[in-house]
Amino acid sequence: MTRTAPHLPAPGFLFGVAYYPEYHHLHRLETDLGLMRDAGMNVIRVGESVWSTWEPADGRFELEWLAPVLDAAHERGIRVILGTPTYAVPPWLQIAHPEIAAERRTGEPIPWGARQEADFSHPVFREYAERVIRAVIGRYADHPAVIGYQVDNEPGNELFHGDHVFAEFVRRLRARYGDVETLNREWGLVYWSHRLTDWSELWRPDGNTFPQYDLAWRRFQAELTSEFIAWQAEIVREYARDDQFVTTCLQYGRPALDDERLATSLDVVAGNPYYGMQDRLDPAAEAAQLSHWTTTGVAGLIRQGDRMYASKQGPFLVTETNAQSIGHSDVNFPPYPGQLAQSAFTLISRGATMIEYWHWHTLPFGIETYWGGVLPHSLVPGRVYDEIAGIGADLAAIGDALDGYEPDADVAILWSNPSRYALQNTPPFPGERGIEGESFERIADAFHRGVVETGRQARLLHLDQAAGLGAAELARRHPVLVAAGVYVLTDDELALLRDYVAAGGHLVLGPRTGYADDEARARVEVAPPRLADVAGVRYDEYSNLEAAIPVEAEGGVLDLDEAARATRWVDGLLVDDADVLARYVHPRFGDFPAATTRAAGAGRVSVVGTVPDAAFARALARWAVAEPAGADAAGGGQN
């Protein structure tokens, strides 16, 4: 994990918690910090949730309450990440300026009473936010305990619909398309009589049915989030020392988030990987997700780490993750003994240079009363504290031995945030429509799981990052590249995939890849577009699967066991010049291969026409990567 950011902390590993002494009525500072040091903790995150404590009334700042915390932490060698409190506005501000409330639908402000109700693009909000940021950071930037700053918290939670937001959306459309005739053509607005004669005729997004409009709207909302974080980061850098970093903590499922774009303004990426524990970490178990913001399964946890690494293709910080049960009062699944250590070292293996638990002490009030911290409600250290202390001891023994470590990558898997947005609007699977839909994740995760469960290593790669490498270097670094569910692709990106194959790479195509162009228009071409000739297969029909169906090997190349299944989807592949690897066992779909392969110049193209289950995906991974990286050092990979 090469330390590429200019302001990362000193060598070694950061291990700690989010710490909110202001949330407790008891004076426990000395006790808490002593327990942290005993557990091997060396970092805390503070201050990001309490704007009303920093500024209890308009223009009246109370900044000294944090000084004893930072002083005591510094005395014990505990470093501090200081947050800006802009994601939770104080009551006086929303009363004085109700116009800053975000609108989830046009004319319908979000009721105040939770968090992230404010429209952070509103100029009035920005004025007050800048004032509190400057007050807090200006007061503590020189404190020796402070090593970095977290600006805001889990941004991108809302899609803003206010008048000024829509006006800015239209302004950017005009800058991109120039005139309404171009927009009419590019979005196909002849359909259902939507042709515009003037920009003032563009309808609000609430009733929109056009996928092209929706993709532009989602990209715009992600731009607003990235711009907001960059704006905060620049303010903080006016005060930050050269040895302090700037980050924010990301929840990667947020609807108005493009992590790769947002990360360009940060020194280092930080994220909050929450995951199902207990039997949801049993590799042999299949369990439903607890919520849209958690993952289930070992591969799901690893994918969260890989997402964080992918944002900047480098090391990352874990600013929040499970200590005890995470969720509301009806979600109580604390970790089985040993799972905290397994999960922590899993994230470290994927590139984490910090693990912070959310949070130190379980709260006695608020909506997160049953989101368990390191200490239970009693504040008496128990089994979870002891296990975390064991992790701290292990990390202390490792020291700085992991500095410079970079995770292996046997298989690169393309990640596309535009495809994620588009497949939430036009999902291939039932029940996936809406901003919490996970059609893209379901397709990409199926292939990722196969890589993980065979002991091979995956590297998620954003399309811009792949293009930045160029075809030859991409093939050299990543001899196997999976493009599955990558629905939205530009002409240049499709050309990159062809050039990758010509340069000697093995391209594995999955369902929906390249089916739409950069405007989310279905391509008027033989599918898979621009790739059918080099793949040696094409399709012009496809079907949902209401139940999984068996697949069997053909040609003696793929080692499939009887449990292998095709799930969710079938592309009706027609072979022109390719070898069949597997076929469906089904009275109709048996007419089509489930997977094919073809040598093409110096490279190879393989096509998988379904969403493979775990057994099928493992067979594909074993075949594509016969010898995983690090197999000799590890005594051989899983086969």
Side-chain angles (χ1 to χ4, degrees), residues 168 231 263 311 383 385:
E168 178 62 16
W231 172 80
S311 295
R383 192 259 305 181
Y385 172 85

Side-chain angles (χ1 to χ4, degrees), residues 414-471:
L414 288 179
W415 193 271
S416 168
N417 285 317
S419 295
R420 180 170 69 92
Y421 307 150
L423 291 183
Q424 288 174 335
N425 179 265
T426 314
F429 311 134
E432 294 286 311
R433 191 177 304 279
I435 59 175
E436 294 178 2
E438 294 188 326
S439 288
F440 173 75
E441 289 89 338
R442 294 192 197 288
I443 298 171
D445 282 357
F447 291 85
H448 181 270
R449 180 177 179 177
V451 174
V452 169
E453 292 189 354
T454 56
R456 286 139 179 87
Q457 308 297 313
R459 172 71 53 79
L460 300 187
L461 197 64
H462 289 277
L463 284 162
D464 284 350
Q465 295 166 346
L469 291 174

Side-chain angles (χ1 to χ4, degrees), residues 28-174:
R28 290 179 47 89
L29 179 60
E30 304 296 325
T31 300
D32 286 339
L33 294 177
L35 288 169
M36 290 179 201
R37 285 304 302 162
D38 291 345
M41 294 182 179
N42 58 12
V43 66
I44 56 176
R45 185 186 72 163
V46 300
E48 83 280 0
S49 300
V50 285
W51 188 339
S52 63
T53 300
W54 290 114
E55 188 180 8
D58 188 355
R60 178 165 66 85
F61 293 99
E62 296 184 3
L63 306 177
E64 299 309 309
W65 61 272
L66 189 63
V69 178
L70 302 193
D71 291 344
H74 185 58
E75 290 172 5
R76 291 161 177 79
I78 295 176
R79 290 167 277 188
V80 175
I81 298 171
L82 177 60
T84 63
T86 47
Y87 83 110
V89 302
W92 60 262
L93 180 55
Q94 63 90 22
I95 291 171
H97 293 284
E99 69 272 21
I100 70 172
E103 296 179 6
R104 288 196 184 113
R105 293 183 61 82
T106 302
E108 298 179 10
I110 301 173
W112 193 83
R115 65 177 190 176
Q116 293 175 307
E117 310 100 332
D119 174 355
F120 54 61
S121 70
H122 197 289
V124 173
F125 173 84
R126 290 285 184 98
E127 178 184 349
Y128 284 89
E130 180 172 356
R131 191 172 70 176
V132 74
I133 292 167
R134 290 188 182 279
V136 173
I137 305 302
R139 167 63 181 86
Y140 288 107
D142 291 332
H143 197 286
V146 176
I147 60 169
Y149 304 95
Q150 175 192 306
V151 295
D152 206 72
N153 181 75
E154 296 186 340
N157 191 47
E158 301 287 349
L159 304 178
F160 301 148
H161 286 65
D163 289 343
H164 77 101
V165 174
F166 183 72
E168 178 62 16
F169 176 58
V170 174
R171 188 192 69 78
R172 296 191 191 194
L173 290 180
R174 295 183 69 164

